[in-house]
Every structure is written in structure tokens, then in C-alpha cells.
């Protein structure tokens, strides 16, 4: 009996990696961008969703980021982005890069903010947000990192 159990186990063992491979989680594609604001260079990791892919199709972009509500820097985009499959809203936190669908603008948060309907998260800054806290309008160059 022990021989048969060992034989069955030995025959089944090679099938396990293929089965495990079928159910292994697939790694999401990550995209990186570089934001150049004056002398400061920031990087960010973007989410893989329809709105983000549409945003990336606009890059490279040079935008003027304006202060808004002492919480974020905003800028109009050349056109509205797709919000297909996007949640109806989200809570924003410092470092979030978002798209505000009702106005069609990019919003980069340097302070936490509560829930906002129509806000779609595109990604998150990899480092600090201090460069976004500079007063007044800021020129920013946004490029996809290859």
C-alpha cells in the first residue's frame, strides 16, 4: 500500500507546478513618471487603469500648477480623460496624483483630503511632497520614464 501511495504522489508531483502557475497572481504592469518642478525632480508610480493610460498618452506635458485650497496643485489638461471603470470617487492623501473628472483637471495633493466624488487616483509620488508646497504657480514638466 505504501508503494502505491508513493507512486501516486510521485506521478502527481510534476503536475503541481503547472497547476500552481495557472493560479499564480499576475504582476500588474507599473508605469513611472518624472515630474520636474524648477530644480527639483520627483518620480511617481502610476496605477494601471484606463484613466491613467489615457493620461500617459498625453505625455510629455508642460503644465502650470496652481494652488487650490491649500491642499493641492491643479492644472487643466489638453483634453478630458477616459474614466471607464473608475470608481465614483476616492479619498485623497498627500502624494496622490489624481484626475478630477468634473473639471477635467490634474490634481497633485500635498496634504490629505477627504472623499471627493469624481476624483480618480492615477498614482502616487515616490518621495516627499515639499516641492508642491511652494507658494504660487509652478511650472512642471511631466514625462514617462522608460
Amino acid at each position: 500500500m505504501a508503494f502505491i501511495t508513493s507512486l501516486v504522489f510521485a506521478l502527481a508531483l510534476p503536475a503541481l507546478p503547472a497547476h500552481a502557475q495557472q493560479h499564480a497572481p499576475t504582476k500588474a504592469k507599473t508605469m513611472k513618471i518624472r515630474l520636474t518642478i524648477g530644480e527639483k525632480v520627483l518620480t511617481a508610480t502610476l496605477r494601471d487603469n484606463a484613466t491613467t493610460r489615457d493620461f500617459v498618452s498625453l505625455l510629455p506635458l508642460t503644465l502650470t500648477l496652481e494652488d487650490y485650497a491649500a491642499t493641492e496643485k491643479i492644472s487643466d489638461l489638453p483634453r478630458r480623460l477616459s474614466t471607464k471603470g473608475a470608481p465614483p470617487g476616492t479619498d485623497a492623501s498627500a502624494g496622490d496624483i489624481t484626475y478630477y473628472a468634473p473639471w477635467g483637471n490634474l490634481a497633485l495633493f500635498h496634504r490629505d483630503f477627504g472623499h471627493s466624488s469624481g476624483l480618480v487616483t492615477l498614482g502616487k509620488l515616490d518621495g516627499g511632497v515639499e516641492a508642491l508646497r511652494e507658494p504660487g504657480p509652478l511650472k512642471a514638466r511631466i514625462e514617462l520614464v522608460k
Side-chain angles (χ1 to χ4, degrees), residues 20-38:
Q21 230 177 11
Q22 288 175 351
H23 298 289
T26 55
K27 188 173 179 181
K29 182 176 125 180
T30 59
M31 295 176 277
K32 292 276 202 179
I33 57 171
R34 177 176 38 249
L35 294 90
T36 305
I37 302 171

Side-chain angles (χ1 to χ4, degrees), residues 132-146:
L132 298 175
R133 291 187 177 146
E134 294 291 324
L138 303 172
K139 279 275 192 219
R141 175 85 174 159
I142 305 172
E143 304 166 284
L144 186 62
V145 176
K146 302 206 180 206

Side-chain angles (χ1 to χ4, degrees), residues 4-92:
I4 293 173
T5 304
S6 296
L7 182 61
V8 169
F9 183 74
L11 292 173
L13 192 58
L16 289 178
H19 175 73
Q21 230 177 11
Q22 288 175 351
H23 298 289
T26 55
K27 188 173 179 181
K29 182 176 125 180
T30 59
M31 295 176 277
K32 292 276 202 179
I33 57 171
R34 177 176 38 249
L35 294 90
T36 305
I37 302 171
E39 299 293 317
K40 296 180 177 139
V41 177
L42 309 172
T43 60
T45 302
L46 300 179
R47 293 182 176 184
D48 187 9
N49 60 46
T51 308
T52 300
R53 288 189 297 275
D54 201 12
F55 172 68
V56 167
S57 75
L58 298 175
L59 301 180
L61 279 174
T62 299
L63 302 171
T64 299
L65 303 174
E66 303 280 346
D67 291 322
Y68 187 78
T71 304
E72 60 192 287
K73 293 283 191 183
I74 65 171
S75 181
D76 290 331
L77 292 172
R79 64 171 168 76
R80 291 191 172 268
L81 302 178
S82 166
T83 55
K84 182 178 179 183
T90 191
D91 294 340

